[in-house]
């Protein structure tokens, strides 16, 4: 249910989206990369890592903690989120990190700058993800790693069923598609890496999961989504694209609140994960 | 793509299904249980484990290796598969194991017999899975664990898309439903455990994945499924339920063979996983 870093937040107005985004860390959202990162760190403690679409920075900050003698750069298309990311780093007492504005299609770095280039829930939202992967490969050193993790929204698996929550699923898929994204990103990630010009033998594909099932996780999920439906960027975009009315969104928000109270409630989806050895 | 132990095999005719089934071990198919099993083994090396729907026995045998001073019992509704399971155990040199015939609805054991009662891809195929879980709980000791792992077939995520493979997906979902099973078992597992009479606080829910993406995994998957479509129990059942013609099945088998040759091919699905503390 991580809606991606590109949906945008208003400065000065703490958005609801970070409720879902800011629980994310390298451990929850880059587990497929961590064994490789640890192995690389053993031979070079001064690793440099680029986190593309760093959003509110919680994943970037946890990467920076994992490589205290290295350096992390977070980059995001949305300049309004950079202040939040810097505050997250400061609160965590993390110094080996910087955040800047930039597009994954035109990364403001020389060829072969980083040991590791990572993104999560970025390619799912953009029109030509293979171009983004090609650009991520460009700024990565030879012998380095490009890692990506992208949700497969069409595997979303919700219980109990509820007509309003089915409508919500369609709304989210519609929003992704309207924005040029791909609701089946997870299953296409391998094909995008091949299209970016690498060989199959350079790619390790795996699958992870995102889920909300414990009482506290259900509350985080329900609150994040109902807040978005009542006043977040999700609502703004959905209204702009004509994907529903204010009444529809209120019904969906209520359904999420009801869902969160149920002991049998669960929500899960697949995440496609790749490591590309440059 | 594990089709479950209850579809049945003919004795003397090595079926295609074990190509997919016999790659399964406790490590691949019960990873959510293993940390708990290891912790229980530390305080009691003589653990007893029941594997319900043990099929060709590869998971049961790997459990037996993990508890060399304990004992594993495998049980399956289909008497024809028991010989294969015993052969698998003998080949592996595993002695602390036995296999017998029986139904998950009426397990032939006294109350509180086993420390751990496990099933994988069993509840997905039956009509009242909460009754099965209730019965599994009955034969489990107080302080013991009931563990289940069931696929969520409606999260099946395939690339590249192919009309024949979409038909195959519908065929499999149709076969499951026709047999009284539940293609969305994974997401319902928690609700079934609650319906079996346990409290939410006794249940740990997680999600795993099954996937086929490497060249060798794609070959195993494609060969297993195309063999089933051309001469296995899947074909027999699908013809019986009127879910397709021999020509349809041949087209699907060819599509799987073509899929396996593609570098961008991948197949994945979610598995619901529960541990119930009795």
């Amino acid at each position: 249910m991580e809606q991606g870093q590109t949906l945008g937040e208003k400065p000065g107005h703490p958005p609801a989206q970070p409720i879902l985004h800011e629980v994310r860390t390298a451990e929850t959202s880059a587990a497929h990369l961590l064994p490789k990162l640890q192995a690389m760190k053993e031979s070079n403690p001064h690793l440099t890592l680029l986190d593309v679409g760093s959003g509110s920075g919680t994943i970037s900050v946890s990467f920076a903690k994992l490589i205290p003698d290295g350096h992390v750069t977070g980059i995001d298309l949305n300049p309004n989120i950079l202040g939040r990311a810097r505050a997250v780093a400061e609160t965590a007492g993390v110094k080996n990190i910087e955040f800047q504005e930039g597009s994954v299609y035109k990364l403001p770095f020389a060829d072969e700058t980083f040991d590791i280039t990572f993104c999560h829930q970025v390619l799912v939202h953009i029109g030509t993800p293979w171009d983004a992967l090609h650009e991520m490969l460009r700024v990565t050193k030879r012998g380095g790693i490009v890692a990506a993790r992208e949700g497969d929204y069409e595997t979303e698996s919700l219980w109990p069923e509820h007509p309003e929550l089915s409508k919500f699923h369609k709304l989210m898929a519609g929003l992704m598609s309207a924005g040029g994204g791909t609701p089946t990103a997870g299953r296409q990630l391998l094909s995008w890496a091949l299209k970016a010009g690498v060989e199959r033998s350079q790619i390790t594909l795996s699958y992870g999961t995102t889920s909300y099932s414990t009482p506290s996780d259900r509350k985080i999920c329900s609150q994040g989504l109902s807040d978005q439906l009542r006043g977040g960027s999700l609502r703004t975009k959905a209204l702009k694209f004509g994907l529903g009315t204010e009444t529809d969104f209120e019904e969906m928000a209520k359904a999420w609140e009801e869902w969160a109270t149920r002991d049998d409630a669960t929500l899960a989806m697949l995440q496609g994960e790749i490591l590309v050895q440059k």
Side-chain angles (χ1 to χ4, degrees), chain A residues 33 152 171 192 245:
Chain A
L33 168 61
D152 197 296
L171 169 66
W192 293 344
T245 67

Side-chain angles (χ1 to χ4, degrees), chain A residues 83-191:
Chain A
R84 177 66 193 150
R86 288 177 191 127
V88 165
E90 197 175 332
T91 304
V94 166
K95 308 280 187 196
N96 57 330
I97 197 163
E98 64 191 300
F99 292 98
Q100 65 183 85
E101 185 182 348
S103 163
V104 67
Y105 287 131
K106 199 172 178 181
L107 295 168
F109 306 107
D111 294 357
E112 303 183 16
T113 299
F114 299 97
D115 294 297
I116 297 172
T117 306
F118 170 79
C119 73
H120 177 43
Q121 300 299 79
V122 170
L123 307 179
V124 67
H125 291 295
I126 65 177
T128 56
W130 45 91
D131 289 334
L133 283 167
H134 190 266
E135 181 67 352
M136 290 170 71
L137 282 157
R138 182 186 67 76
V139 303
T140 304
K141 293 179 190 169
R142 285 170 202 277
I145 290 284
V146 169
R149 186 174 192 256
E150 301 292 332
D152 197 296
Y153 190 64
E154 289 307 334
T155 66
E156 195 193 60
S157 162
L158 177 84
W159 196 261
E161 291 171 336
H162 191 297
E164 293 301 329
L165 300 183
S166 299
K167 283 185 202 165
F168 180 81
H169 178 87
K170 283 180 196 147
L171 169 66
M172 290 301 298
L175 266 177
M176 264 183 222
S177 300
T182 313
T184 54
R187 73 193 70 177
Q188 297 195 50
L189 198 44
L190 170 62
S191 69

Side-chain angles (χ1 to χ4, degrees), chain A residues 153-250:
Chain A
Y153 190 64
E154 289 307 334
T155 66
E156 195 193 60
S157 162
L158 177 84
W159 196 261
E161 291 171 336
H162 191 297
E164 293 301 329
L165 300 183
S166 299
K167 283 185 202 165
F168 180 81
H169 178 87
K170 283 180 196 147
L171 169 66
M172 290 301 298
L175 266 177
M176 264 183 222
S177 300
T182 313
T184 54
R187 73 193 70 177
Q188 297 195 50
L189 198 44
L190 170 62
S191 69
W192 293 344
L194 292 167
K195 209 166 170 180
V198 298
E199 301 290 323
R200 179 66 183 87
S201 58
Q202 293 173 261
I203 308 166
T204 304
L205 174 68
S206 57
Y207 288 91
T209 65
T210 299
S211 66
Y212 301 92
S213 305
T214 64
S216 62
D217 282 352
R218 295 193 315 254
K219 194 174 169 188
I220 287 171
C221 178
S222 160
Q223 192 181 333
L225 297 176
S226 56
D227 284 359
Q228 277 286 308
L229 283 159
R230 288 184 173 127
S233 58
L234 188 158
R235 177 195 183 91
T236 311
K237 290 215 170 197
L239 287 170
K240 180 182 152 195
F241 288 118
L243 295 170
T245 67
E246 293 182 355
T247 311
D248 295 334
F249 304 155
E250 180 56 28

